[in-house]
Amino acid sequence: MSGGGIVWRSVSKSFGALPALVDLDLSVERGEVFGFLGPNGAGKTTAIRIAASLARPDRGEVLLAGVPASRAESRRAVGYLPEDLLFPSGLRLGEWARVQIRLRGRDLSRLPHAAERAGLSNRMDGELAAFSKGMRRRAGLLLLLALEPAIWLLDEPTADLDIAGREMIENAIIEAKGKGATVFLSSHILSEVERVCDRVGVIEKGRLTRAAPPADLLPAPFLVDLVLPALPEQPAALLGGRPHVANREARRLRVFVSDRGEGNEVVRALEEGGFPPRETVFRPASLRDALGEVSR
Amino acid sequence: MRELAREVFLVFRRGRGFPLSLLLLAGAAALFWIALQATGTFTVNGEPVDLDESARVALAIGLGVRAVSFLILLFLLFHGAGLVLGDAETGRAAFSLSAPISRARYLAGRSAGVLLVVLLFWAAALVLFEILLFSRTGSLRAEIAAGAAVIVLAQALLLGVLVLFRLFLGGGWGAMGALLVWIASAVLSLDLLESSLFAVDVPENVAPWWLPILQPFLGGEPIGWKADLVRAFVRLFPPIGNATSVGIDLALGRPVFPSFDWWSLPGAAVWGGLVWWGSIRLFRRRDW
């Protein structure tokens, strides 16, 4: 398993009047695991589909290991797992996997081992039409494990999977990275992205707004999670400009702080301002705290 | 490409198309058998028609071959284009389309799978016909296979038309459009229509200067420049029906009539090339 990275070079794509991607410029280095975050309809799937050459950009291009994605040979290095994995009707898992491996000019030697790792070795003669969504996703993983591609394009790979399935995919991603593969994944599951990704990009309305290692996307390493009797009109004034997320309906305020001492200062400032917290929790901050609003 | 063709065959084999095809095949064989039996009992005004054995057999073969080609037309209209494009249209082919193969090879592989099904359908029909013929006459007719081979060319063209129309217009409208092309082509191939069109004769002395240059490419004897142009138009129209007629003439073991219908075959090949070229262009430009 060896190969290069992925480059989106000024890629734009619209569906009618609706812009799905606007001038996306992004490089994912070889051997890097990159997570793409954003709300539904933000353009994550479009970015992946253009890289997998299932959609054509209106402008710009995607390079896979230096080769334009529009050229068939660029896809030799690619393993793609779509968000909604469907199969040609009437096929059995073993037949489908063999066709796909041969289409890529690979031999079938890794197939039995891949089937075992995906937990599907006793389902190879099973009709794909009877597979549940989770099983279909495992079938997709089976193919990736059998192909060992240099570039993995994963569109919400763990959606609809049980805990064991999620762990299986996460382990496969970490193992692929260890072998030098480049992994690009989109997800709504922030904890998963935080665990496996070297870098995270945030996309909103087709535009990449941030791209950095997960820790750098956090305003501060810790958080004070507070439930108040009512939220102040201008929380920033009371919090001394500290970054925070306010949820008015739940009367909840999450304030990012650098340590416990700063957390205590925040609580005192709220008490002095007439908003004594009913509940206070001090904990490490996560991507969910920082990006929750964009990933919901 | 071979893998894609095999996949189509497996999908067909396990889908509803397979039992339906067996039923259609049984229907064609039954029709052939009935024709073989009935041609000996034809009467006109209560008087038996004097048909010799070879004429009876030819009549039955004609009916059988027409029945099979019509049934395959139905198969292609309702199932064939779907087998080529259905998986791509419904997102089931995402894995295949992300493989390092060109869109042209994808279409070629899938279409080859459908044509393989058509060939098997024909092969089964021919075997059945020959068995029935042998049981009735004690002899076999190699011409049926030659005729079927030519009709398969027409059916490859029809499949291309179907794929193109489906890509351009969508499922139902695409099938409707392709059916209209087939009907128009079949109507234009009718000998009677051609005869009435070509009866429009003009004295040679008013023919334009360029007619003698074109004449060798038009085929047949000169019958007047306007009629020659009509003949050229008939041949240039997607000649699905013309090529089928040539195939049926061959299957019957009779000279292809009118002789210029042979020109339908290169015409079918050229139209097939154009239609498939258009299909590949549309397929490549579309998002899947």
Side-chain angles (χ1 to χ4, degrees):
Chain A
M1 192 188 293
S2 65
I6 317 167
V7 179
W8 282 261
R9 196 182 277 164
S10 304
V11 174
S12 294
K13 173 80 178 172
S14 298
F15 296 105
L18 185 73
L21 278 183
V22 183
D23 278 331
L24 176 63
D25 275 305
L26 176 65
S27 288
V28 179
E29 301 301 320
R30 177 181 168 181
E32 186 180 15
V33 179
F34 190 97
F36 218 24
L37 298 173
N40 289 331
K44 304 184 298 293
T45 296
T46 302
I48 291 180
R49 288 172 57 77
I50 290 174
S53 198
L54 294 168
R56 289 158 55 96
D58 299 333
R59 270 204 327 269
E61 65 174 350
V62 177
L63 302 176
L64 301 168
V67 182
S70 53
R71 281 163 55 181
E73 66 262 30
S74 71
R75 300 195 289 276
R76 205 171 292 283
V78 171
Y80 167 60
L81 189 60
E83 180 186 0
D84 194 8
L85 188 56
L86 301 167
F87 302 97
S89 49
L91 288 190
R92 297 188 174 123
L93 174 60
E95 292 166 345
W96 172 79
R98 280 190 285 275
V99 165
Q100 292 302 324
I101 291 169
R102 286 189 184 125
L103 266 183
R104 288 159 175 82
R106 305 288 188 83
D107 65 68
L108 301 170
S109 58
R110 279 197 289 265
L111 183 57
H113 179 59
E116 198 172 317
R117 283 200 54 199
L120 292 170
S121 46
N122 58 348
R123 302 296 297 270
M124 295 300 275
D125 290 327
E127 289 268 357
L128 286 165
F131 276 27
S132 67
K133 212 169 180 180
M135 291 290 285
R136 294 204 299 268
R137 208 156 274 274
R138 278 172 186 250
L141 175 64
L142 175 154
L143 193 70
L144 293 177
L145 292 171
L147 290 170
E148 291 199 335
I151 295 174
W152 293 41
L153 296 171
L154 312 175
D155 196 357
E156 306 209 14
T158 55
D160 308 307
L161 279 181
D162 55 17
I163 292 170
R166 282 184 189 185
E167 201 157 295
M168 194 181 285
I169 297 243
E170 284 182 20
N171 289 341
I173 291 171
I174 291 164
E175 192 183 311
K177 175 184 161 61
K179 291 182 179 175
T182 310
V183 182
F184 185 88
L185 65 93
S186 72
S187 180
H188 287 285
I189 303 170
L190 297 172
S191 54
E192 162 193 291
V193 169
E194 208 161 18
R195 268 197 303 278
V196 300
C197 292
D198 301 314
R199 215 151 49 102
V200 174
V202 181
I203 186 169
E204 294 169 77
K205 294 180 180 168
R207 292 176 193 276
L208 183 70
T209 55
R210 280 167 281 180
D216 291 0
L217 289 176
L218 301 177
F222 295 97
L223 185 104
V224 197
D225 199 343
L226 307 144
V227 178
L228 306 175
L231 282 195
E233 278 304 311
Q234 300 288 335
L238 276 177
L239 299 173
R242 290 183 180 91
H244 63 276
V245 178
N247 183 334
R248 270 184 197 283
E249 283 174 16
R251 297 190 300 271
R252 192 173 169 199
L253 195 60
R254 280 173 287 168
V255 187
F256 291 90
V257 293
S258 55
D259 53 30
R260 188 176 281 275
E262 192 182 352
N264 292 336
E265 280 176 32
V266 166
V267 173
R268 265 198 305 278
L270 286 167
E271 284 170 344
E272 286 165 10
F275 298 94
R278 286 179 178 170
E279 289 174 34
T280 305
V281 175
F282 178 80
R283 60 177 170 81
S286 70
L287 269 184
R288 184 185 172 85
D289 300 312
L291 305 174
E293 71 274 31
V294 295
S295 60
R296 227 179 269 133
Chain B
M1 201 165 103
R2 199 174 54 204
E3 292 305 322
L4 288 166
R6 186 168 171 271
E7 187 178 86
V8 169
F9 184 75
L10 286 171
V11 168
F12 164 76
R13 167 71 186 79
R14 304 231 175 88
R16 277 173 297 184
F18 184 63
L20 182 67
S21 298
L22 287 181
L23 200 65
L24 294 176
L25 196 59
L31 183 66
F32 182 57
W33 175 249
I34 292 167
L36 271 175
Q37 301 302 320
T39 46
T41 60
F42 280 179
T43 58
V44 173
N45 296 332
E47 296 293 320
V49 177
D50 186 21
L51 286 174
D52 61 19
E53 181 68 2
S54 66
R56 286 175 191 153
V57 167
L59 192 56
I61 291 173
L63 284 170
V65 169
R66 276 182 198 279
V68 175
S69 60
F70 184 72
L71 295 178
I72 290 181
L73 163 77
L74 293 180
F75 166 79
L76 289 177
L77 278 175
F78 293 108
H79 207 52
L83 283 175
V84 177
L85 292 176
D87 286 339
E89 288 169 342
T90 55
R92 292 192 186 105
F95 260 107
S96 301
L97 290 169
S98 68
I101 55 166
S102 66
R103 297 285 180 268
R105 280 187 67 194
Y106 178 86
L107 261 190
R110 287 242 145 196
S111 305
V114 172
L115 290 175
L116 176 70
V117 171
V118 168
L119 278 174
L120 288 175
F121 197 94
W122 266 114
L126 297 185
V127 168
L128 278 174
F129 285 9
E130 295 289 5
I131 290 171
L132 294 173
L133 258 184
F134 192 77
S135 68
R136 173 79 163 79
T137 66
S139 64
L140 301 174
R141 293 279 291 266
E143 299 94 329
I144 307 178
V150 170
I151 297 174
V152 168
L153 172 70
Q155 284 161 347
L157 170 57
L158 176 62
L159 179 64
V161 172
L162 268 167
V163 169
L164 182 68
F165 276 55
R166 183 155 174 164
L167 280 168
F168 199 67
L169 300 171
W173 287 109
M176 187 81 81
L179 183 64
L180 286 176
V181 168
W182 181 82
I183 290 171
S185 181
V187 165
L188 282 175
S189 76
L190 289 177
D191 294 350
L192 270 177
L193 180 75
E194 286 184 7
S195 303
S196 62
L197 287 171
F198 299 158
V200 181
D201 202 356
V202 170
E204 287 296 316
N205 58 4
V206 295
W209 61 269
W210 41 262
L211 187 66
I213 302 169
L214 279 184
Q215 204 72 63
F217 302 101
L218 297 177
E221 291 299 312
I223 50 173
W225 72 275
K226 285 183 183 171
D228 282 331
L229 280 183
V230 171
R231 182 197 288 173
F233 171 75
V234 168
R235 243 172 264 142
L236 287 173
F237 196 79
I240 301 165
N242 287 343
T244 304
S245 297
V246 172
I248 289 170
D249 280 350
L250 283 176
L252 294 174
R254 72 183 188 202
V256 174
F257 179 82
S259 60
F260 49 72
D261 264 353
W262 279 106
W263 285 87
S264 299
L265 304 188
V270 169
W271 268 100
L274 282 173
V275 161
W276 281 108
W277 176 77
S279 299
I280 290 166
R281 276 187 68 86
L282 282 177
F283 192 76
R284 284 173 65 185
R285 289 169 61 176
R286 183 175 282 193
D287 291 345
W288 300 102

